[in-house]
Amino acid sequence: MTSILAIAFGSMAYFKPGDPQLHEAFALTERIAALLGPSEQIREFFPILQKILPSSRAEFVDVRKTMVKFYGGLLERFKKEKVTDECFVNEILAKGSLTDLQIISFASLFIGAGSETTASTLEWMIALLANHPEIQTRVYEEIKNNVGLERLPNHEDGNIDIINFSTYISTLY
Ligand code: HEM
């Protein structure tokens, strides 16, 4: 969550653990995820259910209001503080083709979509590596040989074998 907030809003959103704004972002994401969960998806697959099951419209409207207030607040602060970092919001503002509401909606969408998904994937990866030390050693060797231990990997390292980590894992199950 902290990483993706910073990708969107730059250094203005380098929140520390325990920061109330960070927890507001967590709570909002969890609320949206709960609202868009299986019951909402079943309703979309079987529209007849929309007539039978109670409507969540009021909750959707309220979540949207909270989302616009929270991310709108961040955007307003971003503009006021004239943040100059290379980040999503600056790139979008420079192009000047989206309204504030569109920027807010995009930021909220990809912060929501990109935080819990990535966090749980990484948690699983760490759990699997801890349970398969022989693979952990291969991954470590690959990072050491192709990236080195002095920097983090980046997109230019995409052609190394590490990309096949999921293939190693899938051979075990
Ligand atoms: C391991 C990490 C991720 C997983 C497992 C994942 C999984 C998914 C899945 C399954 C969908 C399709 C949902 C559906 O159509 O019902 C989806 C859509 C989407 N994801 Fe991810 N995602 C991940 C990371 C990210 C990240 C990092 C971002 C943004 C920075 C992101 C942004 C989106 C967006 C915007 C959509 C909606 C696309 C659309 O409207 O068609 N996701 N993701």
Side-chain angles (χ1 to χ4, degrees), residues 124-144 161-173:
W124 270 105
M125 185 193 76
I126 291 165
L128 285 164
L129 286 175
N131 279 286
H132 298 285
E134 69 292 357
I135 291 178
Q136 186 172 329
T137 305
R138 281 173 71 179
V139 170
Y140 174 75
E141 289 300 327
E142 274 194 34
I143 293 177
K144 202 167 81 172
D161 255 6
I162 220 137
I163 216 91
N164 291 329
F165 167 63
S166 56
T167 320
Y168 302 153
I169 292 286
S170 63
T171 60
L172 301 167
Y173 293 94

Side-chain angles (χ1 to χ4, degrees), residues 4 109-110 113-114 117-118 121:
I4 201 145
L109 177 68
F110 85 64
T117 44
T118 314
T121 304

Side-chain angles (χ1 to χ4, degrees), residues 49-66:
L49 293 177
Q50 288 167 19
K51 295 193 189 333
I52 302 167
L53 298 173
S55 161
S56 317
R57 189 180 158 74
E59 174 67 355
F60 273 106
V61 170
D62 192 60
V63 158
R64 182 186 157 83
K65 234 195 276 167
T66 313

Side-chain angles (χ1 to χ4, degrees), residues 63-173:
V63 158
R64 182 186 157 83
K65 234 195 276 167
T66 313
M67 181 273 280
V68 171
K69 190 163 170 242
F70 178 71
Y71 286 105
L74 286 185
L75 182 62
E76 206 173 295
R77 221 182 95 207
F78 187 93
K79 287 182 177 174
K80 213 154 96 197
E81 292 179 12
K82 297 189 172 53
V83 177
T84 54
D85 307 317
E86 200 180 313
C87 60
F88 170 80
V89 172
N90 255 340
E91 227 168 276
I92 296 273
L93 285 174
K95 289 203 164 63
S97 51
L98 296 186
T99 64
D100 280 5
L101 187 57
Q102 285 170 324
I103 298 175
I104 291 166
S105 302
F106 271 122
S108 157
L109 177 68
F110 85 64
I111 289 166
S115 50
E116 195 58 38
T117 44
T118 314
S120 55
T121 304
L122 290 174
E123 275 176 36
W124 270 105
M125 185 193 76
I126 291 165
L128 285 164
L129 286 175
N131 279 286
H132 298 285
E134 69 292 357
I135 291 178
Q136 186 172 329
T137 305
R138 281 173 71 179
V139 170
Y140 174 75
E141 289 300 327
E142 274 194 34
I143 293 177
K144 202 167 81 172
N145 297 336
N146 294 288
V147 180
L149 301 177
E150 304 302 317
R151 65 171 176 89
L152 290 171
N154 62 40
H155 64 279
E156 285 163 12
D157 299 309
N159 57 351
I160 64 173
D161 255 6
I162 220 137
I163 216 91
N164 291 329
F165 167 63
S166 56
T167 320
Y168 302 153
I169 292 286
S170 63
T171 60
L172 301 167
Y173 293 94

